[in-house]
C-alpha cells in the first residue's frame, strides 16, 4: 500500500514538469487574437520590450544614462557556480569596456529581445523570422520539425521553433561563449541552451519567457519573464541602428577627396 | 571577404564551381571574337538575363493572393560578372595599379579582391555585363562625379573612408541587390502585405511593404534603402529610396575593377523588378536614378536567384565580429 502510494507519488513528481508543460499548451485559446490562416496566433508586426533588462537582468539602481529597474529573473538570484560568480563580478567591474556590445558584437539570445530597440516578426507556417533594428540582426526560425545542425557555434545561437498551442517555443543551441546577457556582466559558456516561449496575452501583448541552462556556469536552470508590446504607431517600421556607424569615418557624397577635382554642382 | 573563405571553404568551392558552370552554360554567344581576337561585348550576352515570355508560369498563390516566391535561394549568375563595360586596356591598367598600390603583391591575401582580380586578368567571360542601358554599358556619372570615382579607386588605400563600407561590415546597400555575394544564400518569406528578403551575407534584411504605406520622410536614411512593392503579374515591383550615401552602387575593396568606388547620393532611387521565371528561378532588373550624380537613369539586368538544394541552409554570417581583414587593412593604412 505504502509502496504503491509511493510509486504513484514518484510518478507524479517525475511527470510534474511535463504536466506543467502541456498544461500551458492546453490553456484555452484566446478569442480576441488575430490568427494566421493556419490557425496560429498572428505575431506578424513590430514588437518591443520596455524594460531595463539589457542593462541588468536583476535589481539595479540607475547609472548615468541608464534607468534603474527591478529584476526580470523569476527564480533569482541567478544561480552562479562559485567560480562563475567571481567572473560575473569581474565582468561587472569592467563593463564599460568589456561588454561585447561596446565592440558592436551581436548580443546573442535572449539579450536581442530586450535591447531598447524594436524588432519585427514575420510569420509563415514553416518559418518565423525575427529581425532586429539593432545592427540589422536576423534570426530565421524553422518550425517544420528539422533538427539543429551540430558541430557549429554562433553568436546568436541557432534556433528551431515549434508551436505548443498558442505558444511559439524556440529552442536555441550552439551559442559561442562570447556574448553577455546584459551590460552588468551576466554571462554564459558555449554550453548555453535557451528555451524561449512567446505566449500571446492578447492581440498586442506577448508574454516572453526564456529559460536558461548552462551546466558549466549555473547550478540549475533559471528563467526570465517580461512582456513584449506591439508597437501600434500607424507608420511604425524598423529603421537602422548600425552600431559601427559611430566608430568609423565616411566621405560624404558631395565632398571631393582632393581640391584638384571639380566641385559638385551647387544645390 | 576572406574570413568566409577560411571558415567555409567547402561551400565556397562548390559555389565557384557552380558559378563557372553557369557562366559556360549561359553565355556561349559572349565568346564571339572581334577582328583583333579580343572577346567582343555583346548585347545578346546581357539579354541572356531577360525575363522569358515564352511559357507563362503560374505560381502558387498565398492566402493573401501574392504569388509565392518563398524559399531558400542561391545566386543564379556568377557575381564576378561586371556591372559595367570596360575595355581590356582599362581593366589591365587598373589591375596593374592595384598591384602597385599593394606594393607588388599579386597573390592571395588582399581582402575580397581575388575573384575580381582573376576577372581583371581575363578569366571571366568577357563581354557579359549587367548594364543594359545606356548602350555603352557605363554608369552615366556626371563629370565631377566620374572624376571623384576615378580618384577614389586610384587612391583606394590612402584613407579609411575611401574603402567600401561593405569591407567595413556595414550592410552593402545596392551592392547587395545587384552583385550580391557568390558564396551566400538568400531567404525569402512572405506574410500578408510583406515580402522579406534576408541575405546570408552579413544577415542584411530588406522588408518590402506591399500595403501602400508611404516611404518615411526624406531625412530618414537607411543602409539597404527603404522598400515599397507591388505585384504586377509574376513580377514584384519594388521602389527603393531613403538610401544613406555611405554605400556604393558597387565596389568592394579592389574586387570590382574600375567600377570600384561607384558612389551615390541620398537621392538615389532604385526601381526593381523581381520576376518569377518558373518555380525555381527569379530574374532581376533595376533602374537607378540619382540626379545628384548621374546624367540619366540607367538599368541593369541579371539572372539573380535559383532555388537552393534541399539540404542547403543559411548560416549566421558574423561579418564584423570576424573582420580580421579590415583590422589588417587599417594597420596597413596607418603605416
Amino acid at each position: 500500500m505504502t509502496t504503491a502510494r509511493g510509486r504513484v507519488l514518484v510518478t507524479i513528481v517525475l511527470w510534474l514538469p511535463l504536466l506543467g508543460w502541456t498544461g500551458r499548451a492546453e490553456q484555452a485559446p484566446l478569442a480576441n487574437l488575430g490568427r494566421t490562416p493556419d490557425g496560429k496566433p498572428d505575431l506578424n508586426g513590430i514588437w518591443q520590450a520596455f524594460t531595463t533588462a539589457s542593462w541588468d537582468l536583476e535589481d539595479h539602481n540607475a547609472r548615468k544614462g541608464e534607468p534603474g529597474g527591478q529584476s526580470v529573473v523569476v527564480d533569482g538570484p541567478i544561480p552562479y557556480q562559485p567560480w562563475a560568480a567571481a567572473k560575473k563580478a569581474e565582468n561587472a567591474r569592467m563593463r564599460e569596456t568589456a561588454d561585447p556590445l561596446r565592440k558592436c558584437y551581436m548580443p546573442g539570445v535572449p539579450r536581442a529581445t530586450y535591447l531598447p530597440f524594436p524588432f519585427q516578426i514575420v510569420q509563415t507556417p514553416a518559418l518565423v523570422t525575427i529581425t532586429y533594428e539593432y545592427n540589422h540582426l536576423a534570426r530565421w526560425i524553422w518550425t517544420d520539425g528539422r533538427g539543429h545542425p551540430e558541430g557549429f557555434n554562433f553568436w546568436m545561437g541557432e534556433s528551431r521553433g515549434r508551436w505548443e498551442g498558442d505558444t511559439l517555443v524556440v529552442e536555441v543551441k550552439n551559442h559561442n561563449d562570447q556574448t553577455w546577457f546584459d551590460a552588468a556582466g551576466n554571462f554564459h559558456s558555449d554550453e548555453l541552451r535557451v528555451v524561449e516561449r512567446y505566449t500571446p496575452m492578447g492581440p498586442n501583448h506577448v508574454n516572453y519567457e526564456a529559460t536558461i541552462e548552462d551546466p558549466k556556469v549555473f547550478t540549475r536552470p533559471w528563467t526570465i519573464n517580461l512582456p513584449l508590446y506591439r508597437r501600434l504607431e500607424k507608420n511604425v517600421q524598423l529603421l537602422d541602428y548600425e552600431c559601427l556607424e559611430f566608430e568609423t569615418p565616411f566621405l560624404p557624397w558631395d565632398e571631393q577627396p582632393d581640391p584638384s577635382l571639380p566641385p559638385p554642382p551647387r544645390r | 571577404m576572406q574570413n568566409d573563405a577560411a571558415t567555409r571553404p567547402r561551400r565556397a568551392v562548390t559555389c565557384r564551381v557552380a558559378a563557372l558552370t553557369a557562366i559556360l552554360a549561359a553565355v556561349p554567344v559572349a565568346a564571339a571574337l572581334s577582328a583583333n581576337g579580343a572577346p567582343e561585348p555583346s548585347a545578346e550576352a546581357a539579354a541572356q538575363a531577360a525575363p522569358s515570355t515564352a511559357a507563362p508560369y503560374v505560381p502558387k498563390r498565398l492566402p493573401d493572393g501574392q504569388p509565392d516566391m518563398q524559399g531558400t535561394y542561391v545566386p543564379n549568375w556568377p557575381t564576378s560578372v561586371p556591372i559595367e563595360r570596360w575595355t581590356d586596356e582599362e581593366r589591365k591598367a587598373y589591375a596593374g595599379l592595384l598591384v602597385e598600390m599593394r606594393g607588388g603583391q599579386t597573390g592571395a591575401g588582399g581582402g575580397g579582391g581575388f575573384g575580381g582580380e582573376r576577372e581583371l586578368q581575363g578569366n571571366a567571360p568577357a563581354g557579359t555585363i549587367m548594364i543594359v542601358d545606356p548602350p555603352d554599358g557605363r554608369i552615366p556619372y556626371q563629370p565631377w562625379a566620374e572624376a571623384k570615382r576615378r580618384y577614389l579607386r586610384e587612391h583606394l588605400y590612402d584613407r579609411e573612408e575611401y574603402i567600401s563600407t561593405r569591407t567595413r561590415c556595414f550592410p552593402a546597400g545596392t551592392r547587395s541587390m545587384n552583385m550580391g555575394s557568390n558564396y551566400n544564400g538568400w531567404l525569402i518569406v512572405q506574410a500578408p502585405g510583406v515580402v522579406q528578403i534576408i541575405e546570408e551575407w552579413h544577415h542584411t534584411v530588406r522588408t518590402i511593404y506591399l500595403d501602400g504605406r508611404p516611404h518615411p520622410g526624406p531625412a530618414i536614411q537607411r543602409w539597404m534603402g527603404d522598400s515599397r512593392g507591388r505585384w504586377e503579374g509574376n513580377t514584384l515591383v519594388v521602389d527603393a529610396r531613403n538610401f544613406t550615401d555611405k554605400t556604393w552602387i558597387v565596389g568592394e575593396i579592389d574586387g570590382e575593377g574600375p567600377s570600384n568606388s561607384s558612389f551615390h547620393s541620398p537621392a538615389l532611387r532604385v526601381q526593381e523588378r523581381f520576376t518569377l521565371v518558373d518555380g525555381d528561378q527569379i530574374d532581376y532588373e533595376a533602374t537607378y536614378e540619382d540626379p545628384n550624380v548621374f546624367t540619366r537613369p540607367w538599368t541593369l539586368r541579371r539572372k539573380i536567384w535559383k532555388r537552393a538544394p534541399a539540404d542547403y541552409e543559411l548560416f549566421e554570417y558574423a561579418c564584423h565580429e570576424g573582420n580580421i581583414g579590415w583590422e589588417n587593412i587599417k594597420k596597413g593604412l596607418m603605416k
Side-chain angles (χ1 to χ4, degrees):
Chain A
M1 194 64 164
T2 315
T3 322
R5 203 187 306 153
R7 202 178 299 138
V8 169
L9 196 63
V10 166
T11 308
I12 289 173
V13 169
L14 282 176
W15 282 90
L16 267 180
L18 193 59
L19 288 173
W21 194 272
T22 51
R24 269 188 289 204
E26 282 166 10
Q27 76 187 22
L30 293 171
N32 63 342
L33 283 185
R35 290 188 182 270
T36 54
D38 60 341
K40 302 292 189 288
D42 187 353
L43 301 179
N44 283 295
I46 313 275
W47 300 86
Q48 192 164 345
F50 291 93
T51 158
T52 62
S54 180
W55 289 289
D56 194 334
L57 288 173
E58 299 189 287
D59 288 346
H60 60 281
N61 293 315
R63 298 161 56 92
K64 189 176 178 183
E66 299 174 9
Q70 299 183 72
S71 180
V72 298
V73 182
V74 297
D75 46 2
I78 298 173
Y80 282 104
Q81 296 173 17
W83 74 269
K87 179 165 163 57
K88 191 269 169 186
E90 170 67 6
N91 286 349
R93 205 174 59 75
M94 302 296 291
R95 60 189 282 173
E96 301 299 340
T97 51
D99 179 357
L101 259 59
R102 297 275 179 175
K103 303 190 190 84
C104 297
Y105 290 164
M106 290 191 230
V109 177
R111 190 175 182 183
T113 311
Y114 46 79
L115 289 173
F117 296 90
F119 58 88
Q120 178 159 26
I121 295 180
V122 174
Q123 181 183 340
T124 78
L127 176 65
V128 175
T129 67
I130 309 184
T131 54
Y132 302 82
E133 184 160 304
Y134 181 86
N135 269 0
H136 66 276
L137 297 164
R139 295 168 69 191
W140 39 95
I141 302 165
W142 295 98
T143 55
D144 59 1
R146 66 180 75 183
H148 287 258
E150 297 299 336
F152 303 94
N153 65 48
F154 304 106
W155 288 79
M156 294 291 285
E158 197 270 334
S159 299
R160 292 289 192 255
R162 64 177 185 274
W163 288 91
E164 289 181 3
D166 281 351
T167 299
L168 174 64
V169 181
V170 184
E171 295 210 26
V172 194
K173 296 201 250 181
N174 302 334
H175 271 274
N176 67 22
D177 60 359
Q178 300 292 305
T179 64
W180 287 5
F181 295 119
D182 58 20
N186 284 305
F187 76 103
H188 59 84
S189 79
D190 58 3
E191 287 192 16
L192 173 68
R193 291 178 70 156
V194 180
V195 180
E196 299 175 282
R197 304 177 67 86
Y198 298 81
T199 307
M201 304 155 75
N204 299 322
H205 300 87
V206 161
N207 185 62
Y208 179 78
E209 184 185 282
T211 297
I212 288 152
E213 206 181 320
D214 185 339
K216 271 193 197 165
V217 175
F218 307 114
T219 59
R220 58 170 171 85
W222 52 282
T223 298
I224 64 169
N225 190 288
L226 49 95
L228 303 175
Y229 301 84
R230 188 187 286 278
R231 291 280 300 267
L232 293 172
E233 297 91 330
K234 265 205 174 112
N235 60 352
V236 69
Q237 63 169 83
L238 295 190
L239 300 175
D240 299 329
Y241 182 87
E242 286 303 318
C243 182
L244 282 178
E245 185 171 347
F246 314 108
E247 311 288 331
T248 184
F250 304 99
L251 182 68
W253 74 270
D254 54 357
E255 201 177 298
Q256 285 290 23
D258 190 88
S260 69
L261 298 172
R266 277 240 181 95
R267 289 194 302 151
Chain B
M1 308 268 315
Q2 73 283 18
N3 46 0
D4 279 273
T7 52
R8 296 173 56 191
R10 183 182 59 79
R11 282 177 61 189
V13 167
T14 311
C15 287
R16 279 194 199 288
V17 171
L20 185 62
T21 312
I23 292 171
L24 295 174
V27 204
V29 289
L33 298 182
S34 67
N36 65 4
E40 185 85 328
S42 78
E44 290 86 345
Q48 291 293 317
S52 162
T53 48
Y57 164 63
V58 182
K60 262 190 355 195
R61 297 271 163 182
L62 295 167
D64 70 336
Q66 286 191 62
D68 187 351
M69 67 186 297
Q70 298 185 102
T72 307
Y73 294 90
V74 290
N76 197 14
W77 216 29
T79 52
S80 55
V81 169
I83 194 165
E84 290 181 273
R85 177 173 305 137
W86 299 96
T87 65
D88 277 357
E89 290 68 34
E90 286 167 318
R91 291 149 68 95
K92 278 177 188 149
Y94 189 58
L97 181 61
L98 286 176
V99 171
E100 196 180 306
M101 284 193 284
R102 292 198 207 125
Q105 182 196 11
T106 54
F114 284 86
E117 188 176 80
R118 274 196 296 277
E119 174 216 313
L120 290 166
Q121 291 166 349
N123 290 345
T128 310
I129 59 164
M130 286 190 202
I131 291 182
V132 292
D133 177 58
D136 72 356
R138 297 282 182 99
I139 299 175
Y141 274 104
Q142 296 170 16
W144 75 271
E146 184 66 67
K148 174 174 174 174
R149 176 167 81 145
R150 169 183 282 270
Y151 183 95
L152 289 177
R153 72 170 179 254
E154 291 178 354
H155 296 78
L156 195 58
Y157 293 107
D158 284 10
R159 296 172 70 97
E160 199 171 332
E161 59 266 42
Y162 296 176
I163 292 181
S164 92
T165 47
R166 187 180 196 269
T167 308
R168 296 187 251 166
C169 284
F170 287 96
T174 57
R175 171 63 171 69
S176 276
M177 306 176 197
N178 52 47
M179 299 286 274
S181 149
N182 58 1
Y183 47 76
N184 289 110
W186 303 76
L187 194 58
I188 300 178
V189 289
Q190 290 166 278
V194 168
V195 177
Q196 190 177 58
I197 302 174
I198 297 180
E199 179 189 17
E200 184 178 48
W201 183 84
H202 200 9
H203 50 89
T204 55
V205 181
R206 299 183 66 193
T207 301
I208 301 160
Y209 284 104
L210 313 176
D211 59 4
R213 69 176 74 187
H215 287 276
I220 299 288
Q221 297 185 358
R222 304 200 57 199
W223 283 85
M224 294 300 293
D226 189 81
S227 300
R228 300 291 181 260
R230 64 177 193 278
W231 282 96
E232 285 180 4
N234 291 351
T235 298
L236 175 65
V237 181
V238 178
D239 175 354
R241 37 181 124 166
N242 294 83
F243 284 94
T244 164
D245 66 342
K246 297 181 172 73
T247 57
W248 287 347
I249 304 285
V250 284
E252 158 75 346
I253 312 190
D254 49 20
E256 275 131 43
S259 295
N260 274 324
S261 329
S262 295
F263 71 103
H264 60 81
S265 88
L268 176 67
R269 191 170 159 192
V270 187
Q271 314 238 36
E272 302 169 280
R273 298 176 64 85
F274 297 84
T275 299
L276 314 189
V277 181
D278 52 35
D280 295 320
Q281 295 185 80
I282 297 175
D283 280 356
Y284 181 74
E285 186 183 289
T287 298
Y288 288 69
E289 277 179 73
D290 184 343
N292 289 329
V293 297
F294 307 135
T295 60
R296 51 165 284 188
W298 54 277
T299 299
L300 63 82
R301 198 181 287 158
R302 64 168 294 183
K303 300 172 81 65
I304 192 165
W305 296 315
K306 63 186 171 195
R307 202 167 284 281
D311 59 350
Y312 183 100
E313 194 168 337
L314 268 70
F315 276 9
E316 176 180 271
Y317 190 107
C319 184
H320 161 60
E321 291 79 357
N323 202 356
I324 295 162
W326 175 236
E327 291 305 315
N328 288 334
I329 289 170
K330 274 197 289 190
K331 276 180 210 156
L333 287 168
M334 279 185 284
K335 272 177 195 165

